Amino acid sequence: MSTTQPRMIELLEYQMMDLEGKALDEELGALLWNTYRAHIEVAPPTFLNGHRWQLTPKGYVGQIPLTPDLHLVLLPRVPIANLFRMLEYAYRLARFDMGLVATDSLQDVYENLAAILARRVLERARRGLYRAYLPREERTTCVRGRMDLPRLARSEWDPRVHCRYRLHSPDIDDNQILAWTLLNVIRSGICSEERLPTLRQAFRQLQHTVTLEPALARDCLGRSYSRLNDDYRALHALCHFFLDTSGPSHRRGDHTMIPFLIDMPQLFETFVAQWLEENLPRRYWVLPQHSEKLNEAGTIVFRVDLVIWDGLLDRPVCVMDTKYKTEGQSGDLQQAIAYAQAVGCQQAMLVYPAPLDSALEVRAQDITVRDLTFDLSGNLVEAGERMLKELLARIDEAEVVGRVA
């Protein structure tokens, strides 16, 4: 990897940028189109655009190392500090004492979290990696565990004995997830030379005892922990972040590079769900990504972003659909109405990251659709409290109207 600082081309999400035709060669343009067209809209130089490259991020922020010396930085419309807080909520990092500090660049966000992961892996390795008993079966010259007597009786004479035993080993998926994540971070090409030695040291601690197995972001969720491996919760939360934001890899010469890409609409949805889960009154709870079957066979399913369930009434009282954009559309209204009908409630909320130019309130049959704002441009705590206050007021209002009716 080059020791010089790579050149950064900065793009703002959803905003087109013109680049000189010589800014990217044809090979890099083809790489962008073939590998990252789902993340960036690419228009090559032609006479129609003045022979300039036109690049427009499609709702993703992060960093794409095209080569070791040239990176694309996809900047968010929200302040970096607020993006950092959204990531803390979405990946549940805030509940762990990680010494997280606000940063002013996307690369700092990535590097700081990578450094925390490496330090914690090294600390755990010094104390001893978590181990579990794994079943093993082999022929040995001495008895280990239990002999397989039926097999021994059926087989020809052999000085080795077929045994079954359990091996207390660190080569388990808890540690394999850590090794795979560290390798991906090292190969990303995003971390600076100052950070890489610690990351490599942490990876080497695992490499000698753990099999390198590919891992997915979902492998970090729903895991079981005990007092012996409870500290792995934080490690796997960090791994979930890195694996979930790893885009498609590509090769450039001898280098394999893995971009850091955050799907902002998905992050906004997860952030709002997590914020509500932590701040709603105990009477209510959130059902994220709720599935509602529309036919008996279950072949047609609605996936609703969020459903608010009233535990006291034991029924859904509101559906919420997050929209990471700044203007409402008629399709959004139709979708919200369909969701409310499928779930069986009379309130639907469209949640936007900034106030709309004009308030939205539409009634169709027995369903009312309104807009809510979780403003990402300022203080997130205050913005969340304002949204929650408005949400509860509308739910209460709907219950009063229902009782009168």
Side-chain angles (χ1 to χ4, degrees):
M1 183 175 292
S2 174
T3 57
T4 59
Q5 190 70 15
R7 181 167 65 95
M8 304 288 188
I9 297 178
E10 294 185 344
L11 311 174
L12 184 64
E13 62 172 321
Y14 293 119
Q15 183 172 312
M16 185 185 72
M17 171 172 275
D18 281 329
L19 298 174
E20 293 182 358
K22 62 182 180 181
L24 300 174
D25 60 34
E26 187 173 339
E27 183 182 355
L28 284 181
L31 171 64
L32 266 178
W33 169 256
N34 291 326
T35 309
Y36 300 108
R37 65 174 176 267
H39 310 91
I40 301 176
E41 185 178 329
V42 181
T46 68
F47 70 93
L48 295 174
N49 56 24
H51 299 283
R52 299 174 67 84
W53 289 98
Q54 293 180 336
L55 307 179
T56 310
K58 296 180 177 180
Y60 287 84
V61 303
Q63 195 161 319
I64 301 176
L66 292 177
T67 73
D69 302 313
L70 177 63
H71 292 198
L72 291 185
V73 180
L74 314 182
L75 297 173
R77 293 179 297 184
V78 305
I80 293 291
N82 282 357
L83 175 67
F84 188 74
R85 294 297 297 171
M86 291 171 70
L87 292 171
E88 283 186 306
Y89 267 97
Y91 293 96
R92 305 190 178 190
L93 303 177
R95 61 179 176 167
F96 304 112
D97 183 17
M98 293 186 177
L100 296 170
V101 294
T103 58
D104 55 7
S105 78
L106 286 170
Q107 185 167 354
D108 284 344
V109 170
Y110 190 90
E111 287 195 340
N112 286 349
L113 292 175
I116 292 170
L117 175 62
R119 288 197 300 268
R120 291 203 168 198
V121 168
L122 287 170
E123 179 185 342
R124 179 68 207 217
R126 282 192 292 269
R127 292 188 286 115
L129 296 173
Y130 178 57
R131 294 168 175 258
Y133 285 98
L134 302 177
R136 290 288 186 269
E137 187 173 337
E138 64 178 342
R139 286 188 177 275
T140 64
T141 56
C142 59
V143 176
R144 185 174 187 180
R146 292 190 305 170
M147 291 189 297
D148 189 343
L149 294 177
R151 177 178 293 193
L152 183 63
R154 291 194 306 268
S155 62
E156 297 181 359
W157 183 86
D158 191 325
R160 297 172 302 165
V161 182
H162 195 95
C163 298
R164 292 193 180 100
Y165 61 95
R166 293 170 66 83
L167 179 67
H168 198 220
S169 170
D171 193 12
I172 56 177
D173 53 359
D174 274 6
N175 295 315
Q176 290 167 358
I177 289 171
L178 304 181
W180 182 257
T181 303
L182 284 168
L183 178 63
N184 275 261
V185 173
I186 292 168
R187 294 167 61 192
S188 70
I190 295 173
C191 291
S192 63
E193 288 295 324
E194 291 76 14
R195 301 285 194 184
L196 284 174
T198 305
L199 289 163
R200 289 172 178 148
Q201 183 184 2
F203 177 68
R204 284 195 297 270
Q205 288 289 328
L206 298 168
Q207 187 180 19
H208 299 305
T209 54
V210 174
T211 304
L212 192 60
E213 293 283 351
L216 301 174
R218 63 172 177 265
D219 296 332
C220 305
L221 304 176
R223 306 191 64 80
S224 299
Y225 301 97
S226 66
R227 62 180 181 82
L228 298 177
N229 70 336
D230 194 60
D231 56 332
Y232 275 70
R233 291 180 191 271
L235 294 173
H236 290 153
L238 286 167
C239 291
H240 180 218
F241 165 75
F242 285 112
L243 295 176
D244 199 40
T245 57
S246 293
S249 63
H250 67 269
R251 289 190 63 83
R252 182 76 173 182
D254 296 332
H255 300 277
T256 298
M257 285 162 283
I258 303 172
F260 162 49
L261 291 167
I262 301 170
D263 184 338
M264 289 301 293
Q266 181 61 50
L267 176 62
F268 182 54
E269 176 189 330
T270 308
F271 166 68
V272 171
Q274 185 63 25
W275 198 93
L276 286 171
E277 185 175 313
E278 294 186 13
N279 292 278
L280 271 172
R282 295 180 63 182
R283 170 178 173 175
Y284 303 99
W285 61 84
V286 183
L287 305 178
Q289 282 294 300
H290 176 71
S291 298
E292 194 69 35
K293 296 179 181 178
L294 301 184
N295 61 350
E296 292 184 3
T299 55
I300 304 175
V301 178
F302 267 165
R303 297 198 181 277
V304 187
D305 286 357
L306 304 169
V307 174
I308 306 299
W309 190 278
D310 189 326
L312 187 62
L313 300 177
D314 194 26
R315 62 178 176 83
V317 291
C318 178
V319 297
M320 302 178 70
D321 199 17
T322 56
K323 299 295 179 185
Y324 188 71
K325 50 190 175 182
T326 56
E327 57 183 23
Q329 297 176 351
S330 59
D332 299 341
L333 294 171
Q334 295 166 4
Q335 187 179 47
I337 292 168
Y339 285 167
Q341 288 175 333
V343 171
C345 63
Q346 297 179 333
Q347 288 285 319
M349 308 291 176
L350 296 171
V351 188
Y352 295 91
L356 300 179
D357 292 336
S358 58
L360 175 67
E361 183 170 346
V362 175
R363 287 183 173 84
Q365 300 175 359
D366 294 332
I367 297 170
T368 302
V369 183
R370 296 186 175 99
D371 67 291
L372 281 176
T373 302
F374 200 127
D375 193 347
L376 303 180
S377 63
N379 186 299
L380 292 185
V381 174
E382 295 176 358
E385 289 174 349
R386 287 194 299 270
M387 184 199 71
L388 181 59
K389 181 178 180 181
E390 189 172 356
L391 170 64
L392 294 176
R394 290 175 177 179
I395 290 175
D396 290 342
E397 174 190 330
E399 289 181 3
V400 170
V401 172
R403 286 195 296 269
V404 171

